Amino acid sequence: RRGIELRERISDAVSRAVAKAERDGPVGICLSGGIDSSTVAAFAPELPLFTGYYQGELFDERPWARLVGEGRDWRTIEIRPADFVRVFDAVREVLGGLECGPGAVGQYVVAEVAAEAGIRTLLTGEGGDELFGGYARQHLAAGIPPPDGYDDYKLPEGYPETLRGALELEWDALRTLCAVDEAIAGAHGIRVVPPILDPWVVAHVFQQPSGHRIGKGLLKAAMRGVVPDAILDRIDKRGFPAPFVAWAQDDPVRGFVEARIGYVPDAEKPWDRGWWLDLLDPEPAETLAA
């Protein structure tokens, strides 16, 4: 019964979000290959879908997104090295100091294409990981196995070692993630709406024991039979990884990054974001390179 109630609450949240957004113009959905955005898309089959992707098996979510998007108005957007160089300064400007990762570049390109298609509101799956414990670090704090590919993963320094603490920390950090989404989309005149964060949905999830809010178990149970099983049963979902460190080993990204900060990121440390933070630093390039 708990799963049915959650499904109904999310369905109602999507319907309300669409009805309200349509007053301002066309509505679309950002679709990845994960459970959260697939859930939103499942309850709004009439809306166009937008999926960003990078070349390379590790960075291309289209095979999973196709399970939801095939047969619908589904647009795929390749994010290329030249796009990084082209939009970086615009991304840095609209972020205005907001803390985020390099994936903001891809978000910007997808929003750009959606705006060209006339979209005024984009629905997203934002908030699913925070509500339903989707991050590998939350899994470790809960004492359960992390997703595939995280065999040697360690908790970040200072990260809570209890599930309750991990859930609270990620929930608090969600405010910044939403602000980034709004800034990136807003630069193209698009409003972002995450139906999973509807108060009616959040209130229900917060009533559940912390142990149930981990590994997306609640959401998987609620969406079984609605979202394809292949997506619900994935154990390799890693968010939206981007190959920017690999790109920075060759031009045009290498020359761009090197000119800005005086070095290129270490190809052996694709997880290290120090180079990205240096790029976002507002100091002049010659100061950074000195």
Side-chain angles (χ1 to χ4, degrees), residues 164-279:
R164 184 181 183 86
L167 288 170
E168 290 178 352
L169 184 146
E170 300 294 354
W171 183 252
D172 290 342
L174 179 59
R175 185 185 304 274
T176 298
L177 294 180
C178 290
V180 169
D181 292 348
E182 292 167 2
I184 293 293
H188 302 286
I190 293 175
R191 189 168 68 98
V192 174
V193 176
I196 289 177
L197 293 179
D198 182 280
W200 192 239
V201 176
V202 172
H204 175 74
V205 176
F206 273 25
Q207 290 173 357
Q208 312 308 316
S210 295
H212 292 176
R213 291 179 52 203
I214 188 66
K216 297 288 184 75
L218 280 174
L219 188 58
K220 291 177 181 179
M223 296 308 297
R224 187 72 65 180
V226 178
V227 169
D229 286 349
I231 293 176
L232 296 178
D233 296 333
R234 285 187 70 181
I235 58 173
D236 64 336
K237 187 69 173 76
R238 303 184 188 182
F240 193 17
F244 296 139
V245 171
W247 285 0
Q249 308 310 308
D250 299 293
D251 285 330
V253 177
R254 181 187 180 96
F256 177 82
V257 171
E258 200 164 25
R260 293 294 180 95
I261 61 177
Y263 70 93
V264 296
D266 187 344
E268 300 299 319
K269 298 179 179 179
W271 42 264
D272 187 357
R273 290 185 176 181
W275 65 277
W276 170 254
L277 297 178
D278 285 344
L279 271 180

Side-chain angles (χ1 to χ4, degrees), residues 3 38 110 179 264:
S38 296
V110 171
V264 296

Side-chain angles (χ1 to χ4, degrees), residues 28-31 41 44 47-51 65 68-69 72-76:
I29 300 175
C30 284
L31 175 69
L47 297 183
L49 309 171
F50 297 84
T51 299
V68 173
R72 294 178 56 169
D73 181 358
W74 177 45
R75 310 177 196 195
T76 61

